Amino acid sequence: MINQTVRGTKDLLFDEWYRFKYVQQTASEISSLYGFLPAETPIFEYTEVFTKTLGDSSDIINKEMYTFNDKGGKSITLRPEFTAAVVRLLIEKKLQTPIKLFSTGPAFRYERPQKGRQRQFHQINFEAFGIEDPKADIELITLAQHLLTEFGIDKNVRLEINSLGDGETISKYREVLISYFKKFQNDLSEDSQNRLIKNPLRILDSKDKTDKEIISGAPKISDYYTKESLSFFEQILNGLTILDIPYTANDKLVRGLDYYCHTVFEFVTEDLGSQGAVFAGGRYDNLVSSVGGKHTPAIGFAGGIERIMELANCFVKEERAVYLIPIGKEAEEYALALANELRRNGLYVIYEYSGTLKTRMKKANQADAKVALIFGDEELSSKTLKVKDMDLGEEKTVARSNIIKSIHQVYGRNRKSRFC
Ligand code: HAM
């Protein structure tokens, strides 16, 4: 089929392209205020980069990866997320920690496409390595909140946070959960039955109706925190309160990837149907060492660009043009040089190669040009141009040598496009 995109993928055209780039650019600029450095990894990796990090029970590993053998027989996977790839980069390049890395680009998951969910989607991704202190968690959440404000969507999105505690907490809680859910084994959904031994925590975020009833009576993780885990979590919640960042503590929030410990969080919305999470992430102190790196505490999150764009009431006001209207043969020839000069001064110029004054004026209106430059023999010999403000209908004759300045005066402050 050569006339349609692959299911779950999209073309990016015109104003959507600008909005997309705006999200990436803004995320990059704001992350740099927090000390993030740019890092770009390839869009595919050896498959183990993901299978050894994301967890056997995760949906990504079980059913969503785009994996294939390349012509050399190596198993390759299109990245389903960035964290594993950035960890690979950190270890391979022996980067000194602490370090904070910002990445952006496409990711691929074979999921059922719907509003806010694609098979090729794009993330802005933030990872901070080598910082044990809970202040790093607070700062990252602050960065996420900062971005939401910048995109104008902080009112539609709320923060949910939980702690999975440390290794001791998780293994104790796992046991307790297994024995609780075993009592209802036959009533659980098929997915949850499969998770019962592999990763019982994941049952907690099941959407199945009967599962949910069973979950409502399940033991709570907060009852199994070690003293250190509880204190770590409390410091974070306390920090959020001081910074005036509202949150809901949700003890059922476990996240779909196995590498997390301590803090997990999601910025969620009701405005995207079932695809509620806009930003999501957490701490993963043991991941780097589990795949051969040094012990490196780490925390990060990622945001879905498509979801941000869906929520943000962004508009694109295209740059308005300077429309050239030469009259007569000599002016016509002169127009090319004039267009060249204006463009090299950063102006958007429309010059169509033929037409009468009347039809060109009509076209300038249709193109919503801001300025029309009208010039014939008279203007050429007096080294002037007529500059018309298309909004006000006012026309004045200005010296050729002053043209750039005069055009800028007509535009006033509003020349540049705005995206949000
Ligand atoms: P995630 O929850 O799988 O986490 O994805 C993060 C965000 O990516 C989601 O909240 C959502 O906005 C977006 N997203 C995920 N899947 C899709 C999809 N199919 N279509 C559109 N948007 C999607 C991670 O990826 C972790 N690596 C986050 C992280 C970074 N944790 C620590 N560091």
Side-chain angles (χ1 to χ4, degrees), residues 90-251:
L90 180 92
I91 297 173
E92 184 182 335
K93 298 288 177 307
K94 300 189 174 59
L95 297 182
Q96 291 296 316
T97 56
I99 192 167
K100 298 179 191 172
L101 300 173
F102 166 73
S103 315
T104 181
F108 306 85
R109 295 182 195 175
Y110 190 79
E111 293 188 271
R112 200 166 51 78
Q114 52 181 256
K115 187 176 171 182
R117 189 161 77 191
Q118 290 178 208
R119 289 181 175 170
Q120 177 179 332
F121 61 100
H122 300 79
Q123 287 188 336
I124 44 177
N125 185 79
F126 311 82
E127 310 292 355
F129 294 103
I131 317 168
E132 196 114 49
D133 198 299
K135 289 198 190 73
D137 307 47
I138 301 169
E139 257 202 331
L140 241 76
I141 292 172
T142 313
L143 163 60
Q145 176 76 20
H146 189 158
L147 287 167
L148 292 175
T149 321
E150 200 67 25
F151 296 133
I153 56 176
D154 51 316
K155 301 281 177 291
N156 332 30
V157 178
R158 58 167 214 287
L159 168 63
E160 298 213 339
I161 187 165
N162 190 21
S163 170
L164 302 177
D166 51 17
E168 192 183 328
T169 309
I170 297 176
S171 61
K172 220 193 276 167
Y173 187 53
R174 252 182 74 99
E175 275 171 35
V176 182
L177 271 189
I178 292 175
S179 52
Y180 171 79
F181 284 126
K182 268 198 171 155
K183 289 189 277 183
F184 305 93
Q185 190 156 8
N186 298 332
D187 303 322
L188 286 171
S189 66
E190 201 186 318
D191 267 352
S192 292
Q193 288 187 21
N194 289 335
R195 286 179 173 145
L196 188 52
I197 302 300
K198 272 194 190 164
N199 190 352
L201 268 75
R202 286 294 315 285
I203 298 177
L204 295 177
D205 65 7
S206 164
K207 305 280 178 285
D208 180 272
K209 200 165 156 262
T210 316
D211 284 359
K212 277 182 160 181
E213 280 166 26
I214 299 171
I215 292 161
S216 65
K220 296 196 181 325
I221 191 159
S222 47
D223 292 331
Y224 298 88
Y225 289 148
T226 57
K227 219 170 114 215
E228 296 75 25
S229 301
L230 180 62
S231 151
F232 193 85
F233 192 32
E234 281 175 348
Q235 289 178 70
I236 294 165
L237 298 184
N238 203 18
L240 295 177
T241 308
I242 291 168
L243 288 170
D244 234 357
I245 298 178
Y247 63 82
T248 309
N250 173 0
D251 60 13

Side-chain angles (χ1 to χ4, degrees), residues 351-362:
Y351 166 47
E352 289 180 62
Y353 308 142
S354 61
T356 61
L357 171 63
K358 198 168 155 211
T359 55
R360 278 171 152 161
M361 213 36 140
K362 202 168 145 196

Side-chain angles (χ1 to χ4, degrees), residues 54 60 80-84 107-109 111-112 114 116-127 140 255-257 259-260 266-267 272 275-284 299-308:
L54 307 188
I60 295 183
E81 58 108 59
F82 283 71
T83 310
F108 306 85
R109 295 182 195 175
E111 293 188 271
R112 200 166 51 78
Q114 52 181 256
R117 189 161 77 191
Q118 290 178 208
R119 289 181 175 170
Q120 177 179 332
F121 61 100
H122 300 79
Q123 287 188 336
I124 44 177
N125 185 79
F126 311 82
E127 310 292 355
L140 241 76
R255 308 262 310 117
L257 299 155
Y259 47 62
Y260 294 111
E266 289 186 350
F267 281 86
L272 284 177
Q275 300 312 305
V278 186
F279 289 147
R283 200 167 252 286
Y284 50 97
I299 174 157
F301 71 94
I305 298 184
E306 286 78 6
R307 294 191 190 173
I308 295 168

Side-chain angles (χ1 to χ4, degrees), residues 50 70 110 155 214 216 232 338 405-406 412 420:
F50 305 109
D70 68 9
Y110 190 79
K155 301 281 177 291
I214 299 171
S216 65
F232 193 85
L338 181 62
K405 199 169 154 211
S406 308
C420 268

